[in-house]
Structure formats: structure tokens, C-alpha cells
Amino acid sequence: MSDSTVTEPEGREEVAVPQAVTGEHRQGVLHRARRPRRPRFWFEILLIAVSYWTYSLIRNAVPEQKADALRNADWVWRVEHQLGIALEGSVNHVVNSVTWLIIGMNYYYATLHFVVTLGVLVWLYHWHPGRYAATRLVLFATTGVALVGYYLFPLAPPRLMNGGRFVDTVAVHHTWGSMASGDLKHMSNQYAAMPSMHIGWSLWCGLTVFALASVPWVRVLGLLYPATTLLVIVATANHFWLDAVGGVLCLTFGFTVARLWYGSLPYALPRLVPAPARAAAPVEVPLV
């Protein structure tokens, strides 16, 4: 459509803003929003704290549908038997027979889930500021879609199955291990096992470290971390193998969101971004 003019009664003409210009302005705003930028420390601290508080609040507010959760656990167990992967019971009992090992896994399950994830975020913030926001978006989108899974598919962990004969390793060894066991079980939704965010978060950490670390042995540790976490969640009878698959699917969704928003995978973005330019001071023009 061509530009038009409007004549005012006083004889003054105003040129209407072309639609193309307005569209370009919108595109410019969107482009700036999608452009990697240097993260702000206090904003990130506040964002992470509020996000985790919100995640915990929503996750624990999901109704503990015990009957549905137990029924779904039986269904998952039958599916795994049909697939020939129902080995969780054997892993649980074998590892539980080694006291020092299972106690270590209990503490691993309770602590590293948070410590390693926060550590990777801090490392990204300091050494890869240009990739930080996009990689953080992957984590947030992964966690957000997991909440949908908790609501739509309540699932009892193996240790709470009827007749599953799994050992609740935290209760048996009296370790501080899981918010879903012992005296802390009333503070957390025990029937939110699908998907496993221990796998979603640990795989996010592992892939990030493997993709961006420059030291070879550190990259290897990045891959070992989610693999070890998989063994831990099964050995402690907190998850089925298929819960881990759910965590991987959620992480795939997170990477897809970041790819669509930034137009690239987070690890392909530039490592460094320039500091925001300061506005130039106004130039005083002397009056004649």
C-alpha cells in the first residue's frame, strides 16, 4: 500500500507512518530480544531463586493421586517387562547389599542434583556469557514441560509400588537422602516420578560441559555425570528406566525451544558478547 497524506484544516500536512516501517520496528524489537546479551548477576540470582520456588510450589501442589499413581506404576512395570528392560529390582538389591555404596548414592541423589546444576550455571555465567541465556532457557523449558508430565501422569516410584519388593534405601539406611522419604516425605509430592528431572538436569549439565569445556578429562566427566545419575536413580528405587526416557524427551523439548527462539543451538552462539553501549552524553551547542 502506498503512503498517504492527510491535510489538516490549518493547511499543515502530516505524513502517515507506512505499515512497512511499523513492521520493521516490531522486527527490530524481536531481534533485540532474541540477541544474546551479557547476563546481569543479581537478576540471574533472583530469576533462579524465584523459578525454583515456583517449580517446587507447582510440583508439590499437583494432587497426589495415589490410586492413579500406583496404577500407572503397574502399567510402566508391565511395559518394561514386555520390552525386556525391567531390571530395576535386581540393580536395587545388588547395590543395596554394599552398604557404603548405597549410602553414597543416597547422598548423591539428594545433593548433586542441585549442586552440579548451579555449578554449571555459574560456570556458564562467568566463562560463556554469550551462551548463558540460551542454555538457561533450555533448562527452564525442560523443567516447565516436566510439570505438565507430573500433572497428566502421576506415577509412584518403584519403592512405593504394591508388591514391587523394592528397597527404600533412604528409609532402610536412615540417611538424609530424598525429600520423598523419611520425615521429609510430607513436604514433597511422592507421585511425581515421571519424567525424571534428575536425568533431565544431569543430562543438561553433561551435554553443556562436554560441548563447551576445553579440558578433555572434564568433558569425559560431563558425560559420566548423567550416566552415573541414571544408575543412582534406579539403584535407590526412585525411578524406572522409562522415567529417564521422559527426562530425555523433556530436555529435547527444551533444546527445541531455545533453537526456535535464538535461531541456533545454544552451544553454537558466540562465547562472549560486548558490554551494553552507554548512551553518549548530549553535546551542548553554544547559543549565538
Side-chain angles (χ1 to χ4, degrees):
M1 181 182 294
S2 60
D3 299 348
S4 61
T5 59
V6 178
T7 304
E8 296 294 324
E10 296 81 5
R12 178 168 52 88
E13 291 186 345
E14 290 186 358
V15 179
V17 179
Q19 293 182 359
V21 174
T22 306
E24 289 176 0
H25 174 70
R26 293 198 191 101
Q27 291 177 2
V29 172
L30 182 61
H31 176 73
R32 287 193 296 272
R34 298 169 66 182
R35 186 172 54 196
R37 64 190 65 186
R38 186 181 296 273
R40 292 167 292 178
F41 179 75
W42 290 112
F43 174 79
E44 294 301 327
I45 293 294
L46 181 62
L47 179 63
I48 292 171
V50 171
S51 299
Y52 183 72
W53 176 80
T54 304
Y55 164 75
S56 299
L57 185 67
I58 296 175
R59 179 182 185 272
N60 296 333
V62 173
E64 291 194 3
Q65 300 166 322
K66 181 177 180 180
D68 290 340
L70 291 173
R71 186 163 50 249
N72 289 336
D74 291 337
W75 179 82
V76 169
W77 194 229
R78 286 197 305 272
V79 170
E80 289 197 349
H81 273 90
Q82 292 171 1
L83 296 175
I85 60 173
L87 303 175
E88 291 92 335
S90 299
V91 175
N92 173 237
H93 285 276
V94 168
V95 177
N96 184 67
S97 65
V98 185
T99 303
W100 64 267
L101 180 59
I102 194 60
I103 289 178
M105 287 189 173
N106 285 341
Y107 288 123
Y108 180 113
Y109 185 87
T111 59
L112 293 192
H113 180 53
F114 306 102
V115 173
V116 175
T117 304
L118 288 175
V120 172
L121 282 169
V122 171
W123 175 66
L124 281 169
Y125 177 91
H126 185 74
W127 294 105
H128 298 269
R131 297 161 178 155
Y132 175 88
T135 312
R136 182 201 61 201
L137 176 59
V138 174
L139 182 65
F140 280 27
T142 298
T143 306
V145 76
L147 293 173
V148 179
Y150 299 147
Y151 183 83
L152 296 178
F153 194 76
L155 180 67
R159 58 186 175 77
L160 294 181
M161 283 184 63
N162 293 324
R165 298 182 181 178
F166 287 91
V167 178
D168 187 336
T169 59
V170 172
V172 169
H173 297 281
H174 306 289
T175 55
W176 178 76
S178 172
M179 288 290 288
S181 295
D183 296 334
L184 299 176
K185 65 182 180 181
H186 300 296
M187 298 173 59
S188 178
N189 182 2
Q190 298 188 77
Y191 304 109
M194 170 67 83
S196 169
M197 280 299 92
H198 272 75
I199 291 300
W201 287 15
S202 66
L203 188 57
W204 174 86
C205 292
L207 291 176
T208 300
V209 171
F210 179 78
L212 300 180
S214 57
V215 181
W217 65 267
V218 174
R219 300 182 70 200
V220 172
L221 285 180
L223 295 181
L224 288 177
Y225 175 54
T228 305
T229 300
L230 177 60
L231 176 60
V232 167
I233 66 172
V234 171
T236 56
N238 280 294
H239 287 284
F240 297 98
W241 299 119
L242 290 182
D243 298 344
V245 175
V248 173
L249 293 177
C250 288
L251 183 64
T252 303
F253 173 82
F255 273 109
T256 302
V257 170
R259 175 68 174 82
L260 292 174
W261 181 252
Y262 286 96
S264 174
L265 289 176
Y267 310 138
L269 295 172
R271 185 174 73 88
L272 301 176
V273 289
R278 296 182 179 178
V283 178
E284 296 185 2
V285 179
L287 299 176
V288 178

